[in-house]
Structure formats: structure tokens, C-alpha cells
Amino acid sequence: MNTKKSSKTSSPDVVLIGAGIMSATLGVLLKKLNPSITISVFERLDRVTAESSDPWNNAGTGHSAFCELNYTPQLADGSIETKKAVKIAESFEVSKEFWAYLVENEVIDSPDSFIHNIPHLSFVWGEENVEYLRKRYKALTSHHLFHGMEYTEDKETIENWIPLVMNGRQADEKVAATRMELGTDVNFGALTKAMFDYLEKQDGVNLYLNYEVDDLTRQKDNSWLIEVKDRATRKESKITAKFVFIGAGGGSLPLLEKSNIPEGKGFGGFPVSGQWLVCNKPEIIEKHQAKVYGKASVGSPPMSVPHLDTRMIDGKKALLFGPYAGFSTKFLKNGSYLDLPLSIKLNNIKPMLAAGLHNIPLTKYLIDQVRQSPQDRLEALKDYFPEAQLEDWDLETAGQRVQVIKKDKKAGGVLEFGTEMVTAADGSLAALLGASPGASTAVSIMLELIHKCFAEAKTSEWQREFKKMIPSFGKSLSKEKDLAAKTRAWTTEVLHLSASHLEEEVTA
């Protein structure tokens, strides 16, 4: 992938900051909607997908709420809240529609380069957790998007599904599991690279690698003056753009602050780092074929939900366990330890202090995680793989996440664990803050951005293009059962995924 040099001044229609899944998705959508649009992409590292979109820096789970228990909290009355799970499941189906369109239109050569079937399982132990999973199964399977989910407390069945998890477990231990065969593993790095490869071939698109965005200034005509620096030569340049998207992962908050838009005031960031144990023994890797998610420890952030995770990375099967949470003041894996202190401003110090006071258990949890010994990590792994041996696993650093802190009238400040889109009132700038399940729901997020920031989104021409790229556009997959079944059958075929459970769903 080549790095194009910028001229001293230029004026693209759109500037995308950060070369990850979000910018790639937005870039392709905009170029399909308006082939004449000009786009410049600036990435501070020397390759695309080097931060959160890198396959080793994220879970790789096609987040569809099939197995992630933190999306289905148990309420005070004992019932299970499913609204978030349904929304995420619907958003992932929309992402699959767009990816299937890209495959059918040869933007992406083959779906096998980035998406594979990996069953999604939830696994719990203990009477209380088993009762929770039983309720969760009943609540979710009442909705058509979770058709095909299986539930069992039978140890032999679970052992057949996930032998590593069951071998060596106490015979009298109460366990339960759900399984969704339609689950996926997504290499977001490969997907992102494929989209940037396509964008680079289009007229009017320039990708600048190893370029740092130093400042953004709104001009009188509401366009943006962007100051960039070549990190290799230290040469500085200035460009103007009608629209700016800040999709720089953990680096988005400092850039949002530099923009000085009123809508960006009061946001803070809480960085959480992560580590994986990566299996180095091929015979163990081959015995596991699933993403197995459990319950997060009390006080831990949702992104730290433990999982024993089959991955397909660059055509090779891998097995990971984690993530183990940690704390660093960096906002990016390749960032600076000054990122957090430099992000503290007069307009966000109150929300940040308030969020800190309300999340003391989380702080204690992170401190405990940082202090973990190799044996401590092994004991956590043994909850999911009782016969695990330390020498069969290597410790690797995962990606850096920055959770959103925002103003709250009652609490002063709250810590959020999802994603937050911040847009200027005139639609000239948008920034994406936060983390999971961002990559999996990138298409829905970018569609929302386009409708907020581009007046053309309401035109009949763009509406037609939206429907070409996302056949369910303008309708609700969560409300229309037949449409969801037909759409899922189509994406399953195009993306080379499992067709089990789908034929009966379409004909029901």
C-alpha cells in the first residue's frame, strides 16, 4: 500500500482521521453514494489497521449478542433486559448486508479473507448463574433474531460442544451453556485493508500514512483548516475540508478537544489496556472450535468479559484467552503516557472526577489485574480450561481502549462502555468515541453519521444507493421477522457462512 505525499495546500471534500474500520466503512459508503467526492485519509502510523482494527488488538467476535452476557443484564425484578442485545444483533446483520454487497460487487475478493463461522457459546457455572442463563435463553429466543440458539445443562452435550472447557471439571459442578451456530469470527484488520485497497484505486482518494494531525480550526465558512505533519520528515502542511471525521480510536478525544466544538465539551476518557494468553500448542488449538464467553467479575469493565476464543488470523487458526485488563495513561497502544493528563480540561474535569468516585470498584479491579502474576492468569484460564498448563500459553499485549466519560445532571459524570458519536451542529465534523461493540456495528454507526452530517442523505438518489448497499435499509430487521430471515439467508450464502437453522426459518 503506497503512501501519497500531500501538497502544501489541498482541499478535499472529506478528511478521515485514522485508518481503521470506521474510516474505511465511511469512505466506501461515501464513495459509493457520490463517486465524485474527494477524500483524504490521515493515519499516524505507517500502515492501516495498526491500532484497534488490528486482529490481535480486538476480540474478533462478530458482536451479535449471541454469547456476550453483559448485553443482557438481569434487572432488580429478576427479569432479563434484552433491548441492547436485540439492537446489537440487528446492527450486526446490517453490517453483514453491507459486507455481502461488497463481495457481490467485487470490492472485496473473497469473504474467506475476513469472516468465518465460529459457534458462539455462553458458559456459566454455579446455581445462580445457571438460573440466569436459563432465563436469558428464554428471553432471547422469544425474538426471531436469536432463532436457532440452543440451551443445555447436560454435561455430555456441553463436552461435545467444547471439550477443553469440560475436561477435568468437577463432576458435581452445576454448569449450563447456550450455543449459536451462526456465530462468526471477523478479522477486522483484513476487512479494513480490503476496503482501503479499494479506496486507493478510486479517483479523488488519497491515503497518507505516517501523518499526524496536529490541529483543527473551524473557519468562517464552516470548513475546517487541518494542520498535519509528516512524522518521517517533520514537514508540516495545511489542508481545508468541508467535512472531518475523527475515527482515531483512543486518539479521537484529544482531537475532538482541539476542534473546540461546543458539542464536544465535557467528554473525558478512561483508558483500559488489555492482554491475551495465546496458545502455542497446535494440538490444543485444534481441539477447540468456538468463542466461549462467561460472566465478568464483579466491578470489572464489560470489555473484560473473559472468553476462550477461536480466531482465524491471516488464514491460520489461533486460540486466545482473556482479555486481562490493565491500566495505562496511553490512549493508543502506540500512544504517549501523557495522553490522559493532557486530555484533562476545565470543561471535563468535573465529570471525570465524578466518574472516578462512582467507579472505585473498577479502579481496584484494574489495580488487581495489573498486579497479577503468571500463576494468577493461569488460574483465571483454568475456569474455562481446567487442564491448562502455563508453558502452553504466551502473554501478548492486546489493544488499548478509551471508555467514554460524559456529563450527567444527577451524577456529575458517568463512565460509558459503548460508543458515542459526537457531531457538530452544522454537520461539518463528527467524532467517534468509545469501544465495543464498535467494529461489528460500524455500518449502522456510519449510516447514522451520514444522515446527521450530509444533507444529500435525504435525496432520492442517495436513498436508492443506500438500498442497493443495504437491502433492508429503511426497514427494521428486529421487527420484521420474514425480512430478517431472508436477509440472513442471503448474507449467509454470500459470506460463505453456515446455513444450518436458516432453511426452516425462511420457510416458516
Side-chain angles (χ1 to χ4, degrees):
M1 186 171 289
N2 67 304
T3 305
K4 299 180 182 178
K5 298 293 183 183
S6 71
S7 57
K8 190 171 183 179
T9 59
S10 59
S11 301
D13 297 317
V14 171
V15 161
L16 308 177
I17 303 174
I21 184 69
M22 295 296 174
S23 289
T25 301
L26 180 58
V28 173
L29 283 167
L30 289 175
K31 202 63 182 171
K32 287 291 184 181
L33 290 164
N34 178 8
S36 66
I37 200 168
T38 54
I39 302 172
S40 290
V41 187
F42 292 93
E43 167 57 49
R44 68 186 296 271
L45 299 180
D46 59 3
R47 65 180 177 90
V48 302
T49 78
E51 281 283 350
S52 296
S53 298
D54 183 274
W56 292 105
N57 290 344
N58 62 65
T61 301
H63 283 297
S64 43
F66 294 158
C67 60
E68 307 92 328
L69 302 181
N70 53 303
Y71 297 150
T72 49
Q74 185 164 324
L75 304 179
D77 63 0
S79 64
I80 305 299
E81 175 60 74
T82 62
K83 287 181 182 178
K84 185 173 184 179
V86 170
K87 182 179 179 181
I88 290 171
E90 181 177 30
S91 293
F92 188 63
E93 294 300 325
V94 170
S95 288
K96 287 197 296 180
E97 286 186 71
F98 181 58
W99 301 339
Y101 162 83
L102 295 182
V103 170
E104 284 195 334
N105 288 271
E106 300 180 344
V107 173
I108 296 175
D109 292 335
S110 170
D112 301 329
S113 65
F114 74 92
I115 191 167
H116 298 87
N117 250 131
I118 302 290
H120 285 193
L121 285 89
S122 300
F123 176 78
V124 299
W125 58 90
E127 187 63 51
E128 185 178 334
N129 289 333
V130 169
E131 177 62 22
Y132 160 78
L133 193 64
R134 192 184 300 127
K135 288 182 178 180
R136 179 185 188 269
Y137 166 74
K138 289 180 181 178
L140 285 180
T141 51
S142 67
H143 196 284
H144 59 268
L145 286 176
F146 297 89
H147 175 86
M149 180 178 282
E150 303 169 80
Y151 173 85
T152 187
E153 296 173 28
D154 180 69
K155 292 180 180 178
E156 189 174 331
T157 301
I158 301 174
E159 185 173 357
N160 183 53
W161 289 347
I162 42 176
L164 290 187
V165 175
M166 293 303 292
N167 293 343
R169 195 167 292 278
Q170 293 294 323
D172 60 349
E173 189 172 29
K174 185 79 171 173
V175 296
T178 58
R179 181 177 186 266
M180 194 73 169
E181 189 180 343
L182 195 64
T184 54
D185 174 74
V186 183
N187 185 330
F188 289 107
L191 173 61
T192 302
K193 186 178 184 303
M195 286 194 280
F196 274 120
D197 284 345
Y198 165 79
L199 283 171
E200 277 207 289
K201 296 172 186 174
Q202 307 309 304
D203 290 338
V205 178
N206 289 282
L207 173 64
Y208 302 98
L209 300 177
N210 217 26
Y211 270 74
E212 185 104 46
V213 174
D214 285 335
D215 207 359
L216 304 96
T217 306
R218 195 203 297 258
Q219 302 192 107
K220 290 181 179 180
D221 63 355
N222 288 331
S223 66
W224 289 89
L225 179 68
I226 303 138
E227 298 177 31
V228 299
K229 180 167 57 185
D230 184 327
R231 298 181 73 204
T233 66
R234 313 306 293 174
K235 182 180 178 182
E236 297 180 353
S237 305
K238 293 182 180 181
I239 65 169
T240 59
K242 299 172 186 174
F243 173 78
V244 177
F245 171 61
I246 305 174
S252 290
L253 178 61
L255 290 170
L256 175 62
E257 291 178 332
K258 288 180 178 180
S259 75
N260 283 317
I261 63 170
E263 297 80 4
K265 304 296 184 183
F267 284 97
F270 184 83
V272 179
S273 60
Q275 293 176 311
W276 300 107
L277 282 177
V278 181
C279 187
N280 58 34
K281 202 166 186 178
E283 51 265 44
I284 294 175
I285 297 170
E286 286 306 314
K287 289 178 181 177
H288 190 72
Q289 181 70 11
K291 291 179 178 291
V292 182
Y293 275 61
K295 291 195 80 174
S297 303
V298 176
S300 64
M303 65 158 288
S304 297
V305 173
H307 41 105
L308 186 63
D309 200 341
T310 295
R311 301 287 309 275
M312 291 298 297
I313 300 177
D314 300 329
K316 187 176 180 181
K317 189 176 177 182
L319 180 60
L320 287 71
F321 178 77
Y324 298 93
F327 178 76
S328 166
T329 55
K330 291 182 178 182
F331 278 1
L332 293 162
K333 189 174 180 179
N334 296 282
S336 164
Y337 288 108
L338 295 175
D339 288 342
L340 176 59
L342 289 176
S343 74
I344 300 172
K345 311 292 183 184
L346 286 174
N347 65 70
N348 68 9
I349 190 168
K350 183 178 177 181
M352 291 182 74
L353 289 173
L357 289 172
H358 295 313
N359 288 276
I360 290 174
L362 170 59
T363 305
K364 181 181 182 299
Y365 168 82
L366 293 174
I367 292 170
D368 289 342
Q369 288 275 295
V370 170
R371 294 169 60 187
Q372 278 191 324
S373 67
Q375 192 62 38
D376 291 331
R377 297 189 190 97
L378 179 63
E379 290 306 311
L381 170 59
K382 283 188 172 183
D383 284 339
Y384 293 85
F385 180 13
E387 297 180 344
Q389 301 294 319
L390 191 59
E391 61 267 22
D392 297 333
W393 299 79
D394 300 318
L395 185 66
E396 300 288 348
T397 301
Q400 190 80 357
R401 301 288 184 270
V402 179
Q403 311 298 344
V404 180
I405 294 174
K406 57 190 293 190
K407 288 180 180 178
D408 182 82
K409 289 182 179 179
K410 292 183 179 179
V414 293
L415 183 63
E416 300 280 350
F417 289 101
T419 51
E420 185 87 20
M421 179 70 72
V422 182
T423 56
D426 63 357
S428 65
L429 181 143
L432 187 69
L433 307 176
S436 182
S440 296
T441 58
V443 178
S444 294
I445 293 171
M446 292 301 106
L447 287 174
E448 179 187 351
L449 180 153
I450 290 171
H451 279 81
K452 282 185 176 180
C453 299
F454 290 83
E456 301 96 321
K458 296 179 181 178
T459 64
S460 58
E461 182 182 356
W462 278 35
Q463 290 285 307
R464 283 194 300 271
E465 292 302 317
F466 283 131
K467 289 175 182 176
K468 286 181 186 177
M469 294 186 281
I470 297 115
S472 70
F473 179 80
K475 299 178 181 179
S476 172
L477 292 173
S478 65
K479 294 178 181 177
E480 299 187 36
K481 181 179 179 180
D482 291 344
L483 175 65
K486 290 176 182 177
T487 298
R488 186 174 271 179
W490 168 63
T491 59
T492 294
E493 180 182 1
V494 175
L495 297 176
H496 300 170
L497 303 175
S498 169
S500 296
H501 304 298
L502 291 179
E503 290 184 8
E504 58 180 283
E505 191 174 349
V506 172
T507 58

